[in-house]
Amino acid sequence: GENVEQHPSTLSVQEGDSAVIKCTYSDSASNYFPWYKQELGKRPQLIIDIRSNVGEKKDQRIAVTLNKTAKHFSLHITETQPEDSAVYFCAANAGGTSYGKLTFGQGTILTVHP
Amino acid sequence: DSGVTQTPKHLITATGQRVTLRCSPRSGDLSVYWYQQSLDQGLQFLIQYYNGEERAKGNILERFSAQQFPDLHSELNLSSLELGDSALYFCASKSLTGDNEQFFGPGTRLTVL
């Protein structure tokens, strides 16, 4: 089955700096890669996603890049703000008969210091 | 608010007991997914239903079972509970269209004492 590795497990930055979180996946049939933000005790919320036919996607301060050959994708947050502090999860949705189930990385605790 | 509802919000019970967690998907969504989130295991896929039928299974224990009813709400049944079953349980729903986005409910926090 699909395996998703996420690094780093914790990331601490100063307000205004950029943050990068990286994930690798194992199943070459995976075709959908979402990123979720989860605040303490709350539900995971989708912040950005990318499909396998696209190499990069941007939404304001957030961007995701995908390298299908290397089977890795990354989340980039620019001009970080204290409210970006949360746990971020990457995920992969294997194609074929997986019917959309998501395999998640282990999460990255991002702390943005004012 | 994602449109997905889950009840109860919190559940405290004892080892050996059985509990039922309930999920109502967004209006019109036929797919329901159940995930378990524990401190040491992250978010783990348990099981998926589509329009009443089981479609995919993850690392779900035999003590756990689920079903989706004709009105599309789903229930996750956990029996012979152990301390290690304490976790946040999320359900998510997905639309019928080609969009892959899954919308998560607020979760049920289960504490087994």
Side-chain angles (χ1 to χ4, degrees), chain A residues 5 12 33 35 39 78 89 108 113:
Chain A
E5 298 285 336
S12 184
F33 307 93
W35 285 89
E39 297 176 355
T78 59
F89 291 95
T108 297
H113 299 281

Side-chain angles (χ1 to χ4, degrees), chain A residues 12-91:
Chain A
S12 184
V13 300
Q14 289 297 127
E15 183 176 0
D17 288 350
S18 294
V20 180
I21 304 170
K22 299 183 178 182
C23 289
T24 59
Y25 61 98
S26 61
D27 188 347
S28 57
S30 291
N31 55 17
Y32 173 67
F33 307 93
W35 285 89
Y36 284 85
K37 175 183 179 182
Q38 187 180 27
E39 297 176 355
L40 191 62
K42 302 268 183 81
R43 77 187 82 202
Q45 290 192 286
L46 181 74
I47 56 171
I48 196 166
D49 56 14
I50 192 167
R51 300 180 199 288
S52 58
N53 59 348
V54 176
E56 184 174 0
K57 183 177 177 181
K58 190 173 180 180
D59 183 3
Q60 298 183 357
R61 298 186 296 108
I62 295 173
V64 57
T65 58
L66 171 65
N67 183 326
K68 283 174 56 180
T69 303
K71 288 191 276 190
H72 69 68
F73 56 113
S74 300
L75 177 71
H76 305 253
I77 306 174
T78 59
E79 300 171 25
T80 53
Q81 301 166 3
E83 50 265 39
D84 293 329
S85 297
V87 182
Y88 290 80
F89 291 95
C90 63

Side-chain angles (χ1 to χ4, degrees), chain A residues 102, chain B residues 33-37 44-48 56-61 64 76 78 88-90:
Chain A
L102 294 175
Chain B
Y33 304 78
W34 285 97
Y35 295 90
Q36 179 192 55
Q37 185 174 37
Q44 301 282 321
F45 167 73
L46 294 177
I47 198 164
Q48 181 213 352
K57 227 170 185 178
N59 295 325
I60 187 167
L61 300 171
F64 295 2
L76 179 67
L78 316 177
L88 259 172
Y89 291 84
F90 289 102

